[in-house]
């Protein structure tokens, strides 16, 4: 068994780094000074670089059990579907929305991913919606409604919130489908493939949407470049590796606590570093959404408390998968976080 200190170090890495990716995106698309990086081109650069680095590191390493791990057309097609759903539809939309709404609010709305996953699982006949599920769904959506309803202090752009809800739905759909997708067995290889495909999709969508005309490399602020570097190294590589290690060395109930902590970290960092308003409305919405997620994620974690991997680096089976991550529009062992 790993030392308790190592487990908590990895867990706090996931807490802080995944929670901080929302602030990093905010600094990339809305720096205080100088030009920004267009949102989809920012996401494309982040995931293409991170995916290439992950594959370069892990693709030549054998699977832990020594068995072949084919990387053929079926695996790349699955990686493309999951990568586009999670990283273009998920993280890309979050990046666009953060041009309009605070990073902390974006993190709270991304927190509805488990809610969408539960609804999609029920619609596809993979999950039964219990009374506990129903209460979690109602609380989560009540929290989102709190952010946009009425007038007064703390109300945010309904358009921005709708964009993030679309991101959460896309992330949830890709995550649910990934459970049975013919992905590579090595988690980091599968993640690298998805990041490359998703990053290419973000680049294509960004250039097709005219973001190339908004990119002026010489005028991009230093804070935007640093935000991109942070997202590549820490958000998409370090924290994800810590998450995979935790799945193999800690209880699932403990690991899934990040689902409650990440939105709160994002809200606090946004308030501290870019002076995003921490209003009573935001606090109430956070309480409703986090409680709703707790009802969903807590139940899932207890129902799947068996070890999720039998050896280091082995991909969990479909029946052993942990609860879908939050915002950390985040990830499963086959589906990386989009935190954001």
């Amino acid at each position: 068994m790993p030392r308790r200190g190592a487990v908590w170090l990895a867990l706090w890495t996931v807490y802080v780094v995944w929670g901080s990716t929302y602030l990093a995106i905010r600094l990339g698309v809305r720096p205080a000074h100088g030009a920004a990086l267009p949102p989809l081109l920012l996401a494309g650069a982040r995931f293409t670089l991170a995916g290439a680095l992950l594959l370069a590191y892990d693709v030549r390493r054998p699977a832990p059990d020594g068995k072949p791990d084919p990387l053929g057309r079926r695996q790349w097609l699955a990686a493309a579907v999951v990568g586009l759903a999670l990283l273009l539809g998920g993280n890309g939309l979050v990046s666009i929305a953060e041009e309009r709404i605070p990073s902390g609010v974006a993190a709270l709305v991304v927190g509805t991913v488990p809610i969408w996953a539960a609804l999609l699982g029920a619609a596809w006949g993979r999950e039964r919606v219990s009374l506990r599920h129903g209460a979690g769904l109602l609380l989560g959506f009540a929290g989102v409604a709190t952010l946009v309803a009425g007038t007064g202090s703390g109300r945010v752009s309904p358009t921005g919130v709708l964009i993030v809800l679309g991101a959460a739905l896309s992330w949830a759909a890709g995550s649910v489908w990934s459970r049975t997708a013919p992905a590579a067995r090595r988690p980091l290889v599968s993640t690298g493939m998805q990041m490359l495909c998703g990053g290419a999709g973000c680049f294509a969508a960004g250039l097709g949407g005219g973001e190339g005309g908004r990119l002026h490399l010489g005028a991009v602020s230093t804070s935007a470049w640093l935000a991109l570097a942070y997202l590549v190294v820490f958000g998409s590589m370090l924290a994800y590796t810590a998450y995979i290690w935790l799945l193999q060395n800690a209880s699932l109930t403990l690991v899934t606590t990040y689902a409650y902590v990440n939105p709160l970290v994002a809200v606090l960092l946004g308030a501290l570093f870019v002076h995003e308003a921490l209003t009573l409305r935001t606090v109430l919405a956070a309480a409703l959404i986090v409680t709703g997620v707790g009802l969903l994620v807590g139940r899932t974690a207890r129902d799947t408390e068996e070890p999720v991997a039998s050896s280091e680096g082995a991909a969990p089976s479909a029946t052993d998968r942990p609860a879908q991550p939050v915002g950390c529009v985040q990830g499963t062992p086959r589906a990386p976080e989009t935190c954001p």
Side-chain angles (χ1 to χ4, degrees), residues 282-298:
T282 304
V283 172
L284 177 59
L288 290 170
I289 292 172
V290 171
T291 302
V293 169
L295 291 174
L296 290 163
V297 174

Side-chain angles (χ1 to χ4, degrees), residues 70-126:
L71 302 177
R73 182 180 302 176
R74 294 178 70 243
Q75 285 74 29
W76 276 105
L77 179 60
V81 172
V82 175
L84 291 173
L86 272 63
L87 306 182
L88 172 57
N91 185 275
L93 288 179
V94 169
S95 299
I96 291 172
E98 287 204 37
E99 291 184 309
R100 298 168 172 82
I101 63 175
S103 61
V105 169
L108 290 176
V109 180
V110 167
T112 63
V113 166
I115 296 172
W116 291 114
L119 289 174
L120 291 172
W124 294 343
R126 296 181 181 179

Side-chain angles (χ1 to χ4, degrees), residues 6-8 10-15 18 239-262 297-298 301-302 304-308 321-326 328 331-333:
V7 169
W8 281 102
L11 190 62
W12 275 99
T13 298
V14 173
Y15 283 169
W18 276 2
Y240 182 74
T241 302
Y243 176 69
I244 289 293
W245 184 87
L246 282 167
L247 289 177
Q248 298 156 7
N249 293 282
S251 73
L252 190 55
T253 299
L254 181 63
V255 176
T256 52
T257 56
Y258 81 90
Y260 321 118
V261 178
N262 284 170
V297 174
R302 283 192 296 273
T304 56
E305 190 60 42
E306 293 301 315
V308 294
R321 270 241 177 95
Q324 303 306 316
V326 176
C328 244
T332 65

